Amino acid sequence: MSRFRRYDGGDPLAPPVDLSEALDAIGQDVMAGYSPERAMREFLRRGGTDQAGLDELGRRVAEKRREILQRHDLDGTMREVRELLDKAVLAERGQLARDITMDDGDRAFRELVLDDLPASTPAAVGELSSYDWQSQEAREAYEEIKDLLGRELLDQRFAGMKQALEGATDEDRAAVQEMLSDLNELLEKHARGEDTDQDFAEFMDKHGDFFPEQPKDIDELLDSLAQRAAAAQRMLNSMTPEQRQELMELSQQAFGSPQLMEQLARMDANLQALRPGEDWSGAEGFEGEQGLGLGDGTGALQDLAQLDALADQLAQSHHGARMDDVDLDALARQLGQDAAVAARTLQELEQALRDSGYLKRGSDGELRLSPKAMRQLGKALLRDVADRMSGRTGARETRTTGLAGEPTGSSRRWEFGDTEPWDVPRTITNAVLRSGGATPVRLQVDDIEVTETEARTQAAVALLVDTSFSMAMDGRWVPMKRTALALHQLVRSRFRGDDLQLIAFGRHAQVMEIEELTALDARWDKGTNLHHGLLLANRFFRKHPNAQPVLLVVTDGEPTAHLEPDGEVWFSYPPHPLTIAQSVRELDATSRLGAQVTFFRLGDDPGLARFIDSMARRVDGRMVSPELDDLGAAVVGSYLGSRGPASSYREQFGDWYGGGRGFWA
């Protein structure tokens, strides 16, 4: 059996949510030191390129709230009563002037009564309660005041009652009184715990027409009534003392009987006792000029309460907050369907991120980027690096085929960045199989296979990244992580025969996995222990005696720390000659192992430039001084250059060697 529901907006043919932008933004924040949970929250807060975020929706909620307060005031009912009173008095004066049959003494007395009416509207209405109107028009206008007050007071507690009772008969008013009496009896019975489902069913059978929302049980009825009654009380609290006094006096004239107010006061007391958690004491400051009646004013207070709830839901500030907490129906009512669609898309994004495997929860309960997410992020960073490298001097990404080595006799799916030649028979076969033999055969990207190759030489690559406090202080922390992740992705996806070790060196050095380095918070300890980093790199090279050693060092400072024979860290700034000597000695050991060495200098310090230049020359290495945006391209380019003839690398990326945004020394 099929079930249909009301269409809730959005493009029914739209593809599933795209996680690439969200994952990239989350990865950037994680590398900047945010937890994955907070990074996801930040993306939902900011939104995407074409997607409104929680901040934008929250701003619109606040703007709607401010608009309600600045446009309206709560004196609408009083103004309407005053207009009807003026209409009645004016019609009566006209009738007194026109009626030539009236006794002059009687006319004079009536005019005196009208002349001496109090300035206060409630007092004037009360003064005329026993007046014998001579004008039918005046009598009808005055009766309309009592009818209006009754309908407004009911509309405060039952939305839509003002319109429903317009032109009501005495029988209709009696039915309202009976409903209120039965309702209060039901509420009081429920408070004592004596009510049954049958009591509620009988009440709804008898008075269900007064409740178009058709509550399913007593609790739903209570919630609906209490929310409206609490809003009515907040409206009273928002009035000035004079306005409240006038309203109380006028209320006694509702339907020409104080019984209505007695029943409503009894109902309010019952609801407040049964639902004390509602906001019965709040108030708002209305500043506009557009008057609201009692019913409309109560509706405005309900809207304000709903907007406040939405603001809290969109803020996602409490522990365990989820996008599912956002009331999409309320958001659509207050801001329109487009806002609800935007919030629902954010809900789908959050759920997709949790369900896609990009985020995983560790044993400590905290979310972390999964290996799948790291691969996806690495691909994006590597693609950015490839774009930067291929854009130099107008060259293509490569001018040679089979760069990774000799063909193995097998093929594999083409991936972004592959430079191997196409396996044409396999590619055409894939296209034919996909199309079912239809002609003409049209190729798609997924059909392409390339000839698999094996590396001619194996490389042992040590990437040393400076994690001293100056890297974080000068904004180099995230570019350093992006570079490490891009190189890691390249080695794992394209040069799987190579071994890569990531070594972070600050006050001391340590080997890190890519997930650990990516999530590493900025460190504020002073010290640049290149000596310790080189020790770990040389140990790594010795474990791979048959591989070509490649040393890549990213740093923004001279060595200021080294390891003592007892394993303790010795720090000195400015750099001590002993620290320099220890670092140089270990670099010489790297050279004796046959390593190809490249230093990547960050910053413009002339002293650092001279020092690193001399270190690079000592081991016949190279120094690169890239801008931060080009650091990843420089490191990846250097790694690729170490895997093939230098001439071919210079053909591809020549301006890395001779000027442009970076220079080679």
Side-chain angles (χ1 to χ4, degrees):
M1 180 177 65
S2 299
R3 293 187 178 275
F4 297 90
R5 60 182 176 84
R6 182 174 175 234
Y7 176 59
D8 53 5
D11 183 0
L13 302 180
V17 291
D18 183 10
L19 296 181
S20 57
E21 183 182 12
L23 183 62
D24 183 57
I26 291 171
Q28 299 293 336
D29 285 344
V30 168
M31 286 189 278
Y34 289 13
S35 69
E37 180 79 34
R38 181 184 172 192
M40 180 176 68
R41 293 291 167 208
E42 285 295 307
F43 176 77
L44 295 175
R45 183 180 62 78
R46 295 191 304 263
T49 304
D50 299 314
Q51 168 67 41
L54 293 174
D55 280 357
E56 170 62 18
L57 295 176
R59 182 195 63 79
R60 292 171 60 184
V61 165
E63 186 177 304
K64 174 71 176 295
R65 191 185 199 285
R66 187 168 54 251
E67 178 186 347
I68 291 175
L69 292 175
Q70 292 179 348
R71 176 185 297 178
H72 301 292
D73 70 13
L74 301 179
D75 211 21
T77 297
M78 198 62 63
R79 292 180 191 173
E80 199 169 351
V81 169
R82 185 78 232 185
E83 290 172 1
L84 288 172
L85 179 62
D86 290 343
K87 178 181 178 182
V89 171
L90 182 62
E92 181 69 6
R93 289 184 184 279
Q95 178 64 28
L96 295 178
R98 291 191 301 271
D99 191 352
I100 58 175
T101 63
M102 182 178 294
D103 179 74
D104 290 341
D106 187 23
R107 179 185 293 108
F109 174 76
R110 292 178 182 277
E111 289 177 346
L112 182 62
V113 170
L114 298 179
D115 290 340
D116 290 342
L117 284 176
S120 167
T121 301
V125 172
E127 185 79 18
L128 293 172
S129 61
S130 58
Y131 180 79
D132 182 18
W133 298 92
Q134 298 301 299
S135 166
Q136 182 63 26
E137 180 184 358
R139 184 184 302 276
E140 291 174 356
Y142 185 79
E143 292 297 325
E144 190 175 347
I145 290 176
K146 296 188 289 185
D147 186 66
L148 171 68
L149 289 170
R151 290 187 292 119
E152 285 279 15
L153 288 169
L154 287 170
D155 202 40
Q156 269 195 306
R157 277 72 172 187
F158 306 92
M161 193 71 81
K162 180 180 178 180
Q163 291 76 23
L165 290 179
E166 190 170 1
T169 63
D170 291 339
E171 290 76 10
D172 295 329
R173 299 187 186 95
V176 170
Q177 292 281 7
E178 185 180 8
M179 181 272 293
L180 289 174
S181 177
D182 291 347
L183 175 60
N184 279 317
E185 290 179 7
L186 177 64
L187 296 180
E188 290 160 1
K189 199 172 183 180
H190 182 73
R192 296 191 301 269
E194 299 173 357
D195 65 313
T196 64
D197 293 340
Q198 182 64 29
D199 292 331
F200 173 76
E202 290 177 357
F203 175 81
M204 291 301 297
D205 286 341
K206 185 176 181 181
H207 303 295
D209 292 343
F210 290 101
F211 305 93
E213 63 274 13
Q214 290 298 305
K216 297 181 177 60
D217 52 39
I218 185 66
D219 288 322
E220 281 194 18
L221 177 65
L222 275 172
D223 289 339
S224 174
L225 291 174
Q227 290 171 7
R228 186 79 178 178
Q233 183 60 49
R234 292 197 301 276
M235 180 181 179
L236 286 176
N237 300 341
S238 303
M239 292 179 173
T240 65
E242 293 78 10
Q243 288 175 323
R244 280 196 297 273
Q245 180 63 31
E246 289 182 342
L247 182 60
M248 291 300 101
E249 293 177 8
L250 277 175
S251 298
Q252 302 303 318
Q253 302 295 326
F255 290 154
S257 168
Q259 295 177 356
L260 176 63
M261 278 303 298
E262 292 173 2
Q263 292 284 9
L264 290 177
R266 179 183 169 194
M267 185 184 77
D268 288 346
N270 287 327
L271 291 172
Q272 193 162 357
L274 290 167
R275 289 293 185 270
E278 293 289 340
D279 183 7
W280 298 91
S281 59
E284 299 289 348
F286 288 83
E287 303 172 354
E289 298 180 355
Q290 184 175 328
L292 290 174
L294 298 182
D296 291 338
T298 300
L301 267 296
Q302 279 191 297
D303 285 341
L304 292 174
Q306 194 169 73
L307 290 169
D308 288 340
L310 285 171
D312 182 62
Q313 295 163 13
L314 294 171
Q316 297 279 288
S317 55
H318 61 277
H319 181 69
R322 296 283 294 268
M323 280 301 304
D324 289 342
D325 298 337
V326 178
D327 187 339
L328 298 183
D329 291 335
L331 196 62
R333 283 195 298 271
Q334 297 298 338
L335 299 185
Q337 197 63 45
D338 60 328
V341 170
R344 184 170 58 254
T345 303
L346 292 176
Q347 286 182 347
E348 293 171 355
L349 267 172
E350 180 188 48
Q351 192 61 45
L353 283 168
R354 294 181 185 276
D355 295 344
S356 63
Y358 289 130
L359 300 175
K360 65 177 183 179
R361 198 168 294 279
S363 57
D364 57 358
E366 295 294 326
L367 285 180
R368 291 185 175 86
L369 291 180
S370 67
K372 178 181 178 182
M374 297 298 295
R375 289 193 298 272
Q376 188 71 19
L377 186 57
K379 287 179 182 179
L381 295 175
L382 189 56
R383 187 178 300 114
D384 180 63
V385 166
D387 290 342
R388 290 180 178 276
M389 294 170 68
S390 63
R392 305 215 172 265
T393 66
R396 295 180 53 174
E397 185 178 351
T398 181
R399 294 184 181 179
T400 59
T401 59
L403 185 64
E406 297 294 341
T408 64
S410 61
S411 62
R412 59 179 175 81
R413 291 282 185 182
W414 176 86
E415 294 182 358
F416 181 86
D418 281 337
T419 59
E420 289 80 6
W422 286 16
D423 186 327
V424 177
R426 288 294 306 161
T427 299
I428 298 299
T429 300
N430 291 339
V432 171
L433 292 175
R434 176 184 50 76
S435 61
T439 57
V441 177
R442 299 184 183 277
L443 295 182
Q444 294 184 2
V445 173
D446 291 342
D447 299 327
I448 301 172
E449 293 198 19
V450 295
T451 302
E452 190 174 56
T453 61
E454 59 183 1
R456 298 189 184 97
T457 60
Q458 183 183 12
V461 185
L463 175 62
L464 276 65
V465 290
D466 189 344
T467 56
S468 62
F469 83 101
S470 59
M471 290 285 287
M473 182 178 65
D474 295 330
R476 297 162 185 156
W477 197 256
V478 174
M480 173 270 289
K481 291 184 178 183
R482 290 171 59 91
T483 298
L485 185 52
L487 181 62
H488 178 272
Q489 177 65 24
L490 179 64
V491 172
R492 292 292 181 266
S493 62
R494 293 287 310 283
F495 299 99
R496 291 184 287 271
D498 288 358
D499 286 298
L500 172 66
Q501 187 167 85
L502 303 174
I503 301 172
F505 65 98
R507 195 174 185 89
H508 66 276
Q510 65 182 113
V511 176
M512 289 188 173
E513 295 297 326
I514 186 61
E515 293 83 5
E516 186 180 3
L517 178 61
T518 302
L520 184 66
D521 285 339
R523 294 181 170 179
W524 303 101
D525 294 335
K526 295 182 179 180
T528 305
N529 200 335
L530 179 61
H531 170 242
H532 192 186
L534 291 172
L535 279 170
L536 295 177
N538 289 338
R539 180 189 300 174
F540 170 67
F541 293 148
R542 293 187 185 100
K543 290 180 180 179
H544 300 82
N546 297 322
Q548 168 62 54
V550 177
L551 177 66
L552 309 172
V553 183
V554 178
T555 185
D556 69 345
E558 301 171 68
T560 56
H562 69 271
L563 281 186
E564 291 284 86
D566 60 0
E568 292 296 319
V569 174
W570 195 86
F571 169 77
S572 174
Y573 183 84
H576 194 277
L578 181 59
T579 299
I580 300 297
Q582 293 281 33
S583 301
V584 170
R585 182 180 304 152
E586 202 57 37
L587 184 64
D588 288 343
T590 304
S591 180
R592 287 193 296 272
L593 291 172
Q596 298 178 16
V597 181
T598 306
F599 286 90
F600 300 89
R601 175 177 63 83
L602 303 179
D604 301 323
D605 179 30
L608 175 64
R610 288 191 297 270
F611 172 76
I612 295 199
D613 180 35
S614 63
M615 294 275 281
R617 290 178 184 276
R618 183 180 182 88
V619 295
D620 195 25
R622 296 170 293 194
M623 181 185 76
V624 186
S625 179
E627 293 186 6
L628 281 180
D629 289 345
D630 286 326
L631 177 60
V635 172
V636 169
S638 180
Y639 165 71
L640 291 174
S642 70
R643 302 200 46 75
S647 60
S648 66
Y649 181 64
R650 287 187 175 88
E651 283 183 3
Q652 297 173 58
F653 312 114
D655 62 344
W656 281 110
Y657 286 87
R661 295 177 66 184
F663 66 87
W664 291 84

